[in-house]
Amino acid sequence: MINSTTDVAIIMGSDSDLPIVEAIFPILESFGVSFTKNVMSAHRTPHEVMELIKASENNGCKVFIAAAGMAAHLAGAVAAHSTRPVIGIPIESGGMGGIDSLLSTAMMPPGVPVATVAVGKAGAKNSAILAVQILATSNSELSQKLHDYKNNMKEEVLKKDKALNS
C-alpha cells in the first residue's frame, strides 16, 4: 500500500454496476493503491453519499471514482461536496447506449468539474489509470510503476506487430 489511509474511494450507483466497476480493482491492486468500494445512490441515499464523502476524506481519500447510469448524477453529487478530484464512469443502463450517462457525467457546470472517461469497462479501466496518474504526481515510487506499466504496454504492441509480420 502507498500509505495507511485509503487513496481512492469508488462509489457505484447500483450493485448492477459492479460487473463494469470491478475492472478497476485489479489495476489499483497492481499499483498498490488502497481503495474502498460502496454502493450509494445520488437520488435514493443523498445524505449517506455526503456522509461517505466526508468519511472518505477524513480517511485520506485523494481521488473519488463514481460510476452511474441513466441520469448519472453520482459523480456530480460527489464533486459538489468535495474538493478532491472526481472521475466519473458513465454506465450503459437504458435504451440510449450510455450516451445519456455520458452526457450527464460530462456536462457539469463551471466550477464543479468531473473528469469523465468512456462508457463502460474501458472507462472503468481508464478511471483506475487516471487515479494512479493523479496520485503519482506526489509519489515517485508510484510514478515509476506507472512509467513501467506504460512501457510494458508499448512492448506488448511491438511484440504483436513483430509476430504479425514474421
Side-chain angles (χ1 to χ4, degrees):
M1 297 296 177
I2 293 171
N3 55 44
S4 61
T5 62
T6 298
D7 296 306
V8 177
I10 303 164
I11 310 168
M12 60 196 104
S14 170
D15 63 346
S16 64
D17 300 335
L18 185 59
I20 300 297
V21 172
E22 66 188 359
I24 299 170
F25 309 156
I27 295 170
L28 294 180
E29 288 168 351
S30 74
F31 282 96
V33 171
S34 61
F35 62 94
T36 58
K37 50 190 181 290
N38 292 91
V39 174
M40 291 282 162
S41 169
H43 301 110
R44 296 181 195 108
T45 58
H47 180 75
E48 289 80 1
V49 168
M50 288 189 334
E51 287 178 347
L52 178 61
I53 292 164
K54 295 308 165 202
S56 297
E57 289 178 343
N58 289 338
N59 288 332
C61 176
K62 296 173 187 70
V63 180
F64 287 94
I65 298 175
M70 300 183 90
H73 291 152
L74 185 58
V78 174
H81 295 285
S82 180
T83 58
R84 310 285 161 83
V86 177
I87 304 167
I89 308 168
I91 304 290
E92 181 180 353
S93 58
M96 299 181 74
I99 196 75
D100 52 339
S101 302
L102 176 63
L103 294 174
S104 293
T105 305
M107 297 304 295
M108 293 299 298
V112 190
V114 170
T116 307
V117 294
V119 175
K121 198 164 277 200
K125 291 176 180 180
N126 278 341
S127 75
I129 297 302
L130 182 55
V132 171
Q133 289 175 318
I134 292 167
L135 295 169
T137 62
S138 61
N139 183 308
S140 59
E141 179 185 339
L142 196 53
S143 183
Q144 183 60 51
K145 286 181 180 182
L146 191 57
H147 175 78
D148 294 344
Y149 174 84
K150 296 228 175 190
N151 192 55
N152 287 339
M153 285 194 317
K154 177 185 101 172
E155 293 302 322
E156 284 297 313
V157 170
L158 294 175
K159 185 175 164 184
K160 290 174 183 178
D161 178 62
K162 185 175 181 180
L164 180 66
N165 291 298
S166 295

